Amino acid sequence: MLDYIINKTMEYLDGMPKTKRKKIGQFFTGLETARFMASLFSLPKKEHLDILDPGTGSAILTVALMERLEQEATIKSVSLICYETEPAILDLLKENLEYIKSAVSFEFNYKMIIKNYITSQQKPLPIADLVIGNPPYRKIPRLAEEATMMEHVVYGAPNLYFLFTAKSIENLRDGGELVYIIPRSWTSGAYFKAFRTFLFKETTIEHIHLFVSRDKVFENEAVLQETMIIKLKKQANQLNEIVISSTESSSDFNNIQYIRVPKKLVVGNDDNQYVYLVTNKEEVDVLERLSVFHNTLSSLDMKMKTGLTVDFREREHLMDEPTNDNVPMFFAQHLQDGRITFPIGKHGEYLDTRKSALLQMNTNYLFVKRFTTKEESRRLQSSIYLQDDFPDHKQISTQNKLNFIARNKKELTKPMVYGLYCLFNSTLYDKYYRILNGSTQVNSTEVNTMPMPTLDGIVFLGERLLKENDLSEKYCDDVLEEYLNDEARRSERVS
Ligand SMILES: C[S@@+](CC[C@H](N)C(=O)[O-])C[C@H]1O[C@@H](n2cnc3c(N)ncnc32)[C@H](O)[C@@H]1O
């Protein structure tokens, strides 16, 4: 059945320009992915099933699920609800649904709803035992009707894909299951916070599937989206573990890697509800090792912030030489081997003091680069900034291509900055950050939620670095490793 529907879809694709499909968010699931998605359901032992496929397209996902149901002896009848708004595909969709009706051995009836899946349901009802979907991926304005109707899951820039997911959760019956293929972006970041809170409250994540070579999901379609498959169950959480599977790409499901991961490692807590996308034992170990730390920068009254000055907007206020009326302005280029090298003779290294909104106290900071390249071996690249190295200035400024960590009310002491450096320059924290965020950018929101030792612990690490005067990654790793082992022993003794 599926081969037939895919061939029909290919014919449709030949007649439709990609630019048009991109505009409406129409990209079709491949055969292998669709089969795999259908295989994830733990089918209830029922004779009749109500199934929902929102944004049905040509019904590829529905067909994959029907193929699966054909193998289940208990199924006697299926009612399918489809939502689809694109006029150009409606004929093909109807044709395909009729084809399914004629091909399956159980009773099959369907309802095609040619309405906007989000806005046509003012009060969504729990109508489905199973939901399967590949929703449109498209950013929409904050005031678009879809977003204003789904305010409970919107916290910033909305995207149709997570509004579809939330609506489908609402359409699921208690105990029902949802399998969706969606971008990875919702798993971290502030914009998706309200959605994550909703998802965690209403469902249990049972299975996550990741594609290791991140960009190959819609190979034929050349859509560069980092995607994942999730399986959710609408019931209170009873599982302590999540299954995470992975394949190299979406066209090769012959070689699937599976790991079972303690849920508490992968799905954060109330303050930090990220989903950590790990695909191997080594990454699970990274999460496990740092799980002994229960603080965050926020809980330690510290914060990572982004540098204050957008240098190209301030050209006329930047100067090449120091005067009484300007202050040092630190750029990412001044971060060198863990220390600050200043000046380096680049243009505009000093900022006019009249730009008072762009000035900050000259105090101790840890500077962390905001942008790194894929080729660079580390995402977290930091340097120690000490106020004493610039004794002539009460204030300084920072370029917005670097982040800085400061203490909110008090100043960071020298051992504290060294201690933070030890953490941020270690291999373990670099790996942790990569799990948290797949991009090359270092975001404050995520760093502010990373696990941190106590303040005393940070000072202890800093003193070790100061004593040896060694800022190498290797030394930071050794000092942190020793400290973690001691911590693990201490917590064993307590328990
Ligand atoms: C990414 S495609 C996936 C199609 C199909 N489910 C598949 O997996 O091959 C999303 C589909 O949703 C449809 N769509 C977009 N916005 C919609 C809306 N607001 N309500 C219903 N369908 C919508 C598009 O026309 C498109 O066919």
Side-chain angles (χ1 to χ4, degrees), residues 25-29 55-57 61 84-86 116-117 134-136 164:
Q26 194 172 54
F27 295 99
F28 299 110
T29 314
T56 324
L61 289 174
E84 181 52 63
T85 44
E86 170 52 38
N116 185 314
Y117 175 57
N134 172 3
F164 261 63

Side-chain angles (χ1 to χ4, degrees), residues 6 9 12 16 21 23-30 34 37 53-62 82-87 89 93 113-120 132-138 146 160 164 181 218 221:
I6 297 253
T9 308
Y12 165 83
M16 169 76 109
R21 287 191 294 120
K23 212 166 131 229
I24 57 173
Q26 194 172 54
F27 295 99
F28 299 110
T29 314
M37 286 172 69
D53 180 350
T56 324
S58 61
I60 288 173
L61 289 174
T62 285
C82 299
Y83 278 87
E84 181 52 63
T85 44
E86 170 52 38
I89 199 146
L93 175 58
I113 304 181
I114 306 163
K115 285 184 183 161
N116 185 314
Y117 175 57
I118 307 289
T119 56
S120 64
I132 191 161
N134 172 3
Y137 313 158
R138 191 156 47 85
E146 285 94 339
L160 277 181
F164 261 63
I181 181 164
F218 296 101
E221 308 273 5

